[in-house]
Amino acid sequence: MSITLEQLIKNRQDLIEAHRKNNFTDGIHALLTDLYPDTAHFIYELLQNAEDMKATVVRFILDKNSIDFEHNGTKRSFNIADIDAITNIGHNSQKKDDPTSIGKFGVGFKAVFAYTATPIIHSGDYHFKIKDYFVPEFRGVEKVSTVDNDGVAWTKFSFPFNNPKKAATDAFDECLDGLKALDSSAVLFLQNIKKIEYMLPSGDLGYVELVDNGNYHVTVTYKKPNESKEYKSRWLRFDRMVDITDDQGNPKTLSTSIAFSLEYDEKNKKDYIAPVKGGGRTFIYFPAEKEHSGLRFHINAPFASTVARDSVRNCADNVKLIRAISQLINDSLSEIKAQGLMNHSFFEVLPNNKAKLSFCYQ
């Protein structure tokens, strides 16, 4: 059902008034800002939205009093349905109907309210801020250009550090830590975003960039601000779209991936597959921080998870995805052999009966 912008604003204002009459305001704040155990989790929520919008480059600009985010997603600029979704909770029909979508404007985006009381958004013809968690407001919001010199339209977000329950200095420090934590894992399994940049108040630039070298080989380079050294990691990555039927009988086409760490043997002058340093991780596009598979390589799928996407739930849909990943590993063996990588070091990476795997991965 379509809705006018005026009706949408009125509906949201009525919602806030009902919350106030029922003394729900503090509870809503706690619900929307305390779901995530780690600081600056909203960074990943923003990256997920940009990935869904088919952005290739995203940029964070950190200041003492705010953090800005922008991306060059070409899928579309904001429309009224997007404004409805971003000021709602878990209601985004456009993304729910898209099986390739990761993030949904819903609870996830609300994590920004741990840092700001009034997020500001510029996209296409719309320039607005959100107040009281749900109400879009257009009055008093300055229109800014969102088109770059090449004619590409960007979507821009601004998050002033004006949450009365968090000092701006604390917000700055937490966002800085969150940005500095971005490494090769931030882009390894993304299909669209190839570069994440972030700029500090000093003008120093940090970045993470993925290059697809073909033949299943990818290289990820990242650099921390205030450092001249670049860090590179190389991966043998296999991707596959799989068709599954969920517990409700609905057919879905979902992406699965695996990534083996590649090292270089200086003595023999050739690549070899090595166990991932620190252990293999389970990704839901980004690492599930509390999930420990016991594998020695990375796996990725849109697993059903906790709200914070930090661990995987035990459910039938996830079993199907694990089986699909197992088949992907099996089918990758012929290519690994063809590239001359099936040797003793590779066998050390594969799981065996002595491996201490978590139950759902066995």
Side-chain angles (χ1 to χ4, degrees), residues 160-179:
F161 296 145
N162 58 2
N163 182 334
K165 296 187 178 181
K166 186 183 291 289
T169 53
D170 293 337
F172 173 86
D173 290 341
E174 291 177 11
C175 289
L176 178 61
D177 289 343
L179 292 173

Side-chain angles (χ1 to χ4, degrees), residues 101-134:
S101 174
I102 320 169
K104 296 174 173 59
F105 275 138
V107 175
F109 180 80
K110 298 300 187 291
V112 304
F113 287 102
Y115 296 85
T116 184
T118 53
I120 301 167
I121 301 162
H122 305 277
S123 182
D125 296 328
Y126 295 104
H127 307 266
F128 64 101
K129 65 181 178 182
I130 303 173
K131 64 176 186 179
D132 296 326
Y133 311 113
F134 301 105

Side-chain angles (χ1 to χ4, degrees), residues 75-175:
K75 192 171 183 178
R76 66 172 184 275
S77 296
F78 262 56
N79 55 33
I80 293 180
D82 289 314
I83 299 173
D84 183 10
I86 203 172
T87 58
N88 208 323
I89 298 180
H91 174 69
N92 191 337
S93 58
Q94 295 179 109
K95 290 193 174 186
K96 286 179 179 178
D97 293 338
D98 182 355
T100 65
S101 174
I102 320 169
K104 296 174 173 59
F105 275 138
V107 175
F109 180 80
K110 298 300 187 291
V112 304
F113 287 102
Y115 296 85
T116 184
T118 53
I120 301 167
I121 301 162
H122 305 277
S123 182
D125 296 328
Y126 295 104
H127 307 266
F128 64 101
K129 65 181 178 182
I130 303 173
K131 64 176 186 179
D132 296 326
Y133 311 113
F134 301 105
V135 182
E137 183 171 284
F138 293 80
R139 292 175 299 177
V141 177
E142 180 182 0
K143 295 182 179 180
V144 301
S145 174
T146 58
V147 179
D148 65 18
N149 293 333
D150 296 322
V152 177
W154 289 60
T155 294
K156 301 185 177 185
F157 299 80
S158 183
F159 306 105
F161 296 145
N162 58 2
N163 182 334
K165 296 187 178 181
K166 186 183 291 289
T169 53
D170 293 337
F172 173 86
D173 290 341
E174 291 177 11
C175 289

Side-chain angles (χ1 to χ4, degrees), residues 215-229:
N215 208 25
Y216 306 101
H217 289 244
V218 299
T219 301
V220 181
T221 302
Y222 70 93
K223 189 185 85 69
K224 303 296 185 183
N226 306 318
E227 294 183 14
S228 58
K229 180 180 179 181

